[in-house]
Amino acid sequence: MKAAQRSGSKSPKTDSNEVSVLKRALAREKKSRKVAENLLESKAKELYDASLHLKEANGRLEALLDNKGDRIDSAFINIIDPYVVMDMMTNVINMNASAKEFLGYDHTKEVVNLSGLVHPDYMQYTAESFQTLMQVGVLKNYSAKIITKSLGEKYVNINASLIYNENGSPIAAQGVIRDITQEVEIRNLLENQKKQQDIIVENSSLGILLIVKDKIIKANKSFVELLGYSELELKKLSINDISSLEDSNLYENLVEKSLEDDSNKFSIIRKFYKKNGDALYGKTSMSTLRDSNGDIEYNVAMIEDITQEKISEEKLRASEERMTTLIKNLQTGILLEDQNRHIVLANKKFCDLFAIPVSPDVLKGVNSKKSIHKYKHMFLEPENAIKRIDQVIQEKKVVTADEMELLDGRTFERDYIPLFNNGEYQGHLWTYNDVTLKKNYRKNLEIQKEKYSGIIANMNLGLIEADIDDNILMVNQCLCDMIGCTKEDLVGHKAKEVIPFDKKTFETIKELRKGKKENSISDSYEVAVNISKNEKRFWLISGAPRYDDAGNIIGSIGVLFDITEQKNLELQKEDLLQELESSNKGLQEYAHIVSHDLKSPLRSVSALASWLYDDYKDTLDENGRYNLKMMQEKIEGMDKLITGILKYSTVNSGTLDNTDVDMNQVIQEIEEIIYIPENVSIKAKKKLPTIKADKTKMHQLFQNFLSNAVVNIDKKNGLVEIDYKENQTHWEFSIKDNGVGIPKEYHEKIFQIFQSIGSNERSTGIGLSIVKKIIDRYNGKVWLESEIGEGTTFYFTLQKDSKIEKQ
């Protein structure tokens, strides 16, 4: 913090001006004092000479006054200073030429009364001085202000004596008048300067000390307040008692240097100790005054509290060190150049990328424009690479993601950032990243995209995508074959105009796709369609809505499967159901395969999104970073959906590994891994049993129930209670919560796959369907009781191990 900020009223510039004024005042005082001393010495000699003249002339005046003759002029005509003789009424009897010139009067032409020339402010003092003259006979060093005729107001010093007659009675007085106007003005100036100096010193925001022989003689108010000592306490101490030097060698060097250049001034940082034990750092400016022998007469120390600046410097230095360390260890190549393209900073990663066989510190000061030619052979197109660098630097505009290909097959991505200070170009920063792997990932992603586009185009399922206005956006070849049209006949047209559904079917689909995400339904259903030549066919349609980021439906995707043959068999034979189930199983297996295969490109997308965020989070604005995070969340949601599908598809697969499972331990492990709001607690009404079961399946079973329960509690004090009963063939468990409750119409649907309740967008609608399949494997049942706003209790039974069919 600056000195002005510490004082609250003065800026550093003001403090500097005050110091300059103080120094000038001290110089003037010293010069004026010397002039005054010389003047006083000179005037003292003149006064002595005048007194001799007075003594010499006094005898002659006694006789001359009696004669009243003109011969009196010759008696004091040789006196240089103004000389006056007056009677007892202060009327001038005679005066010399100097007096006439100084007073502006001529006694031979007009009556001159000396008391009338005295300034009104000095009338009382003059009367008292005249009385002294009458009593003593001599008046020494009478000083007063008079009003002259030609020179105006003047300060005079008069030494006078009485002149007596033969009887010893005073008949006149004589005196030498000395003009001391300049001396008075100098004295007043010195007094004013001293007052100004005292005001400046006392009101300066800087602490000021006067030091004689290492002892503090005087301290100003700012220094007293700075350390908390009183001025009296400070006068008992030396500057070394209240401060210390961080570098004593530096102090000695500064003292020697000040002697060599004869400046007697230097500045150093001292650590001062307050009375309360705290410490501060003070920038101490020392000025030394020496006598004629060169010995130190006294020192003046001016102390500026720079504690905050010192702390800030330390923090800045530490920050710079951390930043330098960070830059040096970044996995991004960094090259900082000044305006003349000399290297200011480079890190190890930069040297590694370009195989530079020296330490980054060695590169400081190197001319990049010249040295780049040593490495241009590394580029795939050396001349174009050099021209591109020169072009970017010449334009001085930010460049990002500028790719450069190397001869060894690597690809670097670089950013260029010009650096300006107050509009003046200071240099630029290059950042380099090896994006070879990322580029290869992009290529692989394109290959994967083409692969799955080929699968979609050639799979034995019709695929259609439409917007919210029922305009067809995309179809695959299988759908074209099912309808008997080309893609051109379908894309861009209304679905109800080109797809041979009846009107009722379209209205049903429209109702299912209406509204917000939480209100829409994804479902599979059969439709009968009439193809050309009145050929009636049956299709199984699985449709799902598409949403925007706000959860609004923007279209739909439909998968169509021609089940005409299965439908005809169903109408003709009783075993058509078995074939249809086989077909459905094929669909499930297909979903399993597609879900499993989608994991690979999904991971690639996730990796790319992570790289984008890591690489550009400092470059992107808030909206860009938000979009990347949203992309990751959508990928995570997709991953959960795929994982849920995989779990659902594998619940009935594999052999159950039935062992002794402590259900208390299972609940404890679940509590450690699922998210439980702070207002919710999970409790068992009594100690749970140890049962024979597959621990993984039990973990899945209870985790899905408990996860659903804790997130659907809106009460201030949420509670989930676990209880059980044992009968001869089954274990019966119950999980009760005091949450929002489930409407009765959903009591059956929630156990179907992709069915969920509420506005939780992260719900995949798979959890309870997995629960149902696990319970089915243990030959159990699941049901629930619920009241809206009161809570829900799920009941389920698990057949004991001896009764379970080994699978």
Side-chain angles (χ1 to χ4, degrees):
M1 186 179 296
K2 301 297 180 184
Q5 293 172 324
R6 292 193 299 275
S7 65
S9 62
K10 295 185 179 180
S11 66
K13 184 175 180 182
T14 303
D15 287 341
S16 177
N17 290 338
E18 289 181 350
V19 171
S20 298
V21 170
L22 178 59
K23 290 181 177 179
R24 290 197 298 272
L26 289 172
R28 285 198 302 271
E29 181 182 4
K30 183 178 178 182
K31 184 176 180 181
S32 300
R33 185 182 298 167
K34 189 172 183 180
V35 171
E37 289 173 354
N38 292 335
L39 184 61
L40 287 172
E41 183 179 351
S42 174
K43 293 302 179 182
K45 186 177 182 305
E46 291 176 4
L47 183 60
Y48 176 75
D49 293 340
S51 64
L52 291 178
H53 285 307
L54 285 173
K55 287 179 182 180
E56 182 181 345
N58 189 55
R60 294 196 297 268
L61 282 171
E62 291 178 1
L64 292 173
L65 285 172
D66 292 335
N67 297 326
K68 305 286 184 179
D70 292 335
R71 289 179 300 165
I72 195 170
D73 289 334
S74 61
F76 50 83
I77 192 169
N78 294 320
I79 298 177
I80 298 173
D81 288 326
Y83 179 78
V84 178
V85 179
M86 67 178 185
D87 61 18
M88 293 296 97
M89 300 303 293
T90 72
N91 294 313
V92 174
I93 298 173
N94 207 341
M95 65 174 74
N96 65 358
S98 295
K100 293 176 182 179
E101 181 182 354
F102 177 67
L103 297 177
Y105 294 98
D106 186 349
H107 68 286
T108 62
K109 298 179 180 179
E110 58 184 320
V111 177
V112 181
N113 185 274
L114 292 180
S115 62
L117 302 181
V118 177
H119 191 279
D121 293 344
Y122 288 82
M123 291 300 293
Q124 180 65 31
Y125 168 64
T126 300
E128 293 173 356
S129 298
F130 190 79
Q131 290 296 324
T132 301
L133 175 63
M134 295 300 294
Q135 293 171 6
V136 179
V138 177
L139 180 64
K140 294 182 179 180
N141 290 325
Y142 162 75
S143 297
K145 184 194 292 186
I146 65 174
I147 303 173
T148 66
K149 187 175 183 180
S150 57
L151 301 178
E153 293 182 353
K154 289 289 183 178
Y155 287 94
V156 295
N157 179 270
I158 299 175
N159 287 285
S161 63
L162 291 175
I163 300 173
Y164 302 92
N165 60 15
E166 296 175 352
N167 300 323
S169 299
I171 58 175
Q174 63 177 348
V176 176
I177 303 172
R178 188 163 60 88
D179 183 1
I180 61 169
T181 304
Q182 186 177 5
E183 295 175 32
V184 172
E185 289 176 349
I186 290 173
R187 186 165 58 249
N188 291 338
L189 177 61
L190 288 174
E191 290 177 356
N192 289 334
Q193 287 177 344
K194 187 176 184 304
K195 290 178 181 179
Q196 292 174 0
Q197 174 185 319
D198 291 341
I199 291 172
I200 291 171
V201 169
E202 286 303 315
N203 292 280
S204 173
S205 60
L206 300 177
I208 300 177
L209 295 178
L210 179 63
I211 302 169
V212 176
K213 295 181 180 180
D214 291 333
K215 289 293 183 181
I216 298 172
I217 303 303
K218 183 173 178 56
N220 72 341
K221 180 181 177 182
S222 293
F223 189 79
V224 168
E225 293 176 349
L226 199 62
L227 295 192
Y229 289 100
S230 68
E231 187 174 3
L232 183 61
E233 290 173 326
L234 288 171
K235 287 181 178 179
K236 299 176 182 178
L237 302 171
S238 70
I239 190 169
N240 292 324
D241 292 332
I242 56 174
S243 68
S244 62
L245 292 166
E246 291 186 325
D247 190 343
S248 58
N249 292 331
L250 175 62
Y251 176 78
E252 297 296 334
N253 293 336
L254 289 172
V255 172
E256 289 181 10
K257 186 177 179 182
S258 69
L259 290 174
E260 289 173 2
D261 58 20
D262 201 29
S263 64
N264 290 320
K265 296 179 181 179
F266 63 89
S267 294
I268 196 167
I269 305 299
R270 299 184 74 101
K271 188 175 183 180
F272 288 86
Y273 304 99
K274 295 184 177 182
K275 186 176 181 180
N276 62 8
D278 294 341
L280 60 86
Y281 290 93
K283 181 180 179 182
T284 307
S285 300
M286 298 290 292
S287 298
T288 303
L289 181 67
R290 298 179 182 274
D291 58 20
S292 58
N293 297 322
D295 297 327
I296 296 176
E297 191 170 343
Y298 61 85
N299 292 307
V300 176
M302 304 182 71
I303 299 96
E304 178 185 1
D305 185 359
I306 60 167
T307 306
Q308 293 303 318
E309 289 87 337
K310 187 81 171 176
I311 293 172
S312 299
E313 285 177 5
E314 292 297 329
K315 288 182 179 179
L316 182 60
R317 187 180 300 110
S319 177
E320 288 175 350
E321 290 175 357
R322 287 195 299 270
M323 183 61 69
T324 302
T325 303
L326 175 64
I327 289 174
K328 287 182 177 179
N329 293 281
L330 278 176
Q331 292 306 303
T332 296
I334 300 295
L335 180 66
L336 179 63
E337 299 175 343
D338 63 17
Q339 62 269 35
N340 298 316
R341 294 196 61 186
H342 290 99
I343 295 176
V344 177
L345 176 67
N347 69 347
K348 188 175 184 302
K349 184 65 175 179
F350 174 79
C351 294
D352 293 342
L353 288 173
F354 289 95
I356 300 174
V358 296
S359 168
D361 295 332
V362 178
L363 297 179
K364 290 182 179 178
V366 172
N367 190 319
S368 294
K369 189 170 185 179
K370 295 180 180 179
S371 61
I372 189 66
H373 290 279
K374 298 179 181 179
Y375 298 92
K376 69 179 183 180
H377 65 276
M378 299 178 64
F379 301 112
L380 187 63
E381 297 179 354
E383 297 304 325
N384 289 338
I386 298 297
K387 287 180 181 179
R388 176 58 179 161
I389 292 173
D390 293 340
Q391 177 191 354
V392 169
I393 293 176
Q394 185 176 3
E395 292 178 354
K396 294 181 177 58
K397 295 180 180 179
V398 174
V399 176
T400 59
D402 192 34
E403 286 194 357
M404 49 190 297
E405 295 184 349
L406 276 66
L407 195 61
D408 59 9
R410 290 182 297 164
T411 300
F412 288 172
E413 194 174 79
R414 67 185 172 193
D415 297 339
Y416 167 84
I417 303 172
L419 305 175
F420 293 91
N421 185 12
N422 295 325
E424 184 177 350
Y425 176 67
Q426 298 293 320
H428 48 262
L429 175 71
W430 293 101
T431 64
Y432 292 86
N433 284 290
D434 187 344
V435 295
T436 308
L437 289 176
K438 186 165 69 172
K439 190 173 182 181
N440 290 337
Y441 265 114
R442 284 201 299 265
K443 289 180 179 178
N444 292 334
L445 191 61
E446 291 296 326
I447 293 171
Q448 292 289 337
K449 182 179 179 181
E450 292 178 4
K451 172 185 173 182
Y452 284 100
S453 296
I455 292 174
I456 291 172
N458 296 287
M459 66 183 181
N460 194 29
L461 292 171
L463 186 66
I464 182 172
E465 180 181 353
D467 62 19
I468 193 67
D469 297 321
D470 202 32
N471 296 308
I472 297 175
L473 304 177
M474 185 274 291
V475 294
N476 68 345
Q477 187 58 45
C478 182
L479 181 67
C480 295
D481 295 340
M482 291 170 65
I483 300 175
C485 298
T486 64
K487 290 183 180 180
E488 290 73 14
D489 295 331
L490 299 175
V491 176
H493 297 276
K494 296 284 186 182
K496 63 182 179 181
E497 295 175 357
V498 293
I499 304 297
F501 295 162
D502 56 38
K503 185 176 181 181
K504 184 177 180 182
T505 300
F506 271 106
E507 291 299 325
T508 302
I509 295 173
K510 188 175 180 181
E511 286 298 320
L512 293 173
R513 303 292 177 264
K514 184 184 296 184
K516 284 277 190 179
K517 184 174 182 179
E518 59 270 19
N519 298 325
S520 61
I521 299 174
S522 300
D523 206 351
S524 297
Y525 41 87
E526 296 178 10
V527 296
V529 296
N530 292 315
I531 309 300
S532 59
K533 299 180 182 179
N534 294 322
E535 181 184 359
K536 186 174 184 180
R537 303 195 67 82
F538 295 93
W539 290 352
L540 177 64
I541 301 176
S542 180
R546 289 193 307 115
Y547 309 99
D548 60 15
D549 293 339
N552 298 312
I553 294 176
I554 59 173
S556 60
I557 297 177
V559 177
L560 294 82
F561 182 55
D562 192 334
I563 59 169
T564 304
E565 294 182 6
Q566 291 86 336
K567 193 66 176 177
N568 289 336
L569 288 174
E570 180 183 349
L571 296 174
Q572 297 174 10
K573 299 180 181 180
E574 292 181 357
D575 61 347
L576 182 61
L577 178 60
Q578 184 176 356
E579 292 185 24
L580 184 58
E581 288 176 351
S582 176
S583 177
N584 286 336
K585 185 177 180 181
L587 283 174
Q588 292 174 356
E589 291 175 353
Y590 171 77
H592 175 72
I593 293 170
V594 171
S595 298
H596 192 275
D597 288 348
L598 283 174
K599 283 277 188 173
S600 176
L602 195 61
R603 283 193 293 269
S604 297
V605 173
S606 178
L608 285 174
S610 297
W611 293 340
L612 281 172
Y613 182 80
D614 291 340
D615 292 345
Y616 300 107
K617 63 183 177 183
D618 295 330
T619 305
L620 294 173
D621 58 14
E622 187 66 25
N623 190 44
R625 293 192 291 271
Y626 173 78
N627 289 336
L628 283 176
K629 288 184 179 179
M630 287 299 299
M631 184 187 298
Q632 283 286 47
E633 290 185 9
K634 297 302 181 184
I635 292 170
E636 289 174 6
M638 185 66 179
D639 185 71
K640 288 181 181 179
L641 180 62
I642 293 171
T643 301
I645 293 172
L646 290 175
K647 285 183 180 180
Y648 181 79
S649 63
T650 57
V651 168
N652 287 334
S653 62
T655 303
L656 293 173
D657 183 17
N658 292 325
T659 58
D660 289 331
V661 179
D662 184 351
M663 300 309 297
N664 299 285
Q665 183 179 354
V666 170
I667 299 302
Q668 182 179 351
E669 291 173 356
I670 292 171
E671 288 180 342
E672 292 176 356
I673 62 173
I674 68 171
Y675 168 72
I676 302 175
E678 293 181 358
N679 65 314
V680 178
S681 59
I682 298 175
K683 295 181 180 178
K685 294 190 72 173
K686 56 179 175 285
K687 185 177 181 181
L688 300 178
T690 298
I691 67 174
K692 282 284 186 181
D694 187 303
K695 186 174 181 179
T696 301
K697 293 292 187 288
M698 293 301 100
H699 204 285
Q700 283 182 294
L701 180 64
F702 279 85
Q703 181 176 333
N704 278 292
F705 275 126
L706 294 176
S707 296
N708 281 342
V710 297
V711 299
N712 287 294
I713 295 177
D714 58 349
K715 306 297 188 299
K716 184 176 181 181
N717 297 313
L719 177 63
V720 179
E721 289 184 326
I722 305 170
D723 200 4
Y724 80 98
K725 291 191 298 185
E726 181 182 7
N727 56 42
Q728 188 174 359
T729 59
H730 287 76
W731 297 100
E732 181 180 318
F733 291 91
S734 65
I735 298 176
K736 179 181 180 181
D737 65 67
N738 61 343
V740 297
I742 300 174
K744 192 170 184 63
E745 61 267 26
Y746 289 97
H747 284 195
E748 295 296 332
K749 280 191 175 184
I750 59 174
F751 295 105
Q752 300 174 12
I753 191 169
F754 299 126
Q755 298 295 318
S756 62
I757 301 173
S759 59
N760 187 356
E761 296 185 5
R762 295 179 179 269
S763 175
T764 61
I766 298 176
L768 291 179
S769 62
I770 292 175
V771 163
K772 179 69 166 60
K773 295 189 77 171
I774 292 173
I775 293 171
D776 288 344
R777 288 200 69 179
Y778 281 85
N779 299 323
K781 296 181 179 179
V782 59
W783 69 98
L784 68 134
E785 296 175 358
S786 181
E787 291 291 332
I788 300 300
E790 297 296 326
T792 302
T793 304
F794 282 92
Y795 298 93
F796 61 93
T797 60
L798 301 173
Q799 195 170 23
K800 292 185 176 179
D801 181 63
S802 60
K803 302 293 183 180
I804 297 174
E805 179 184 353
K806 300 299 181 183
Q807 300 185 32

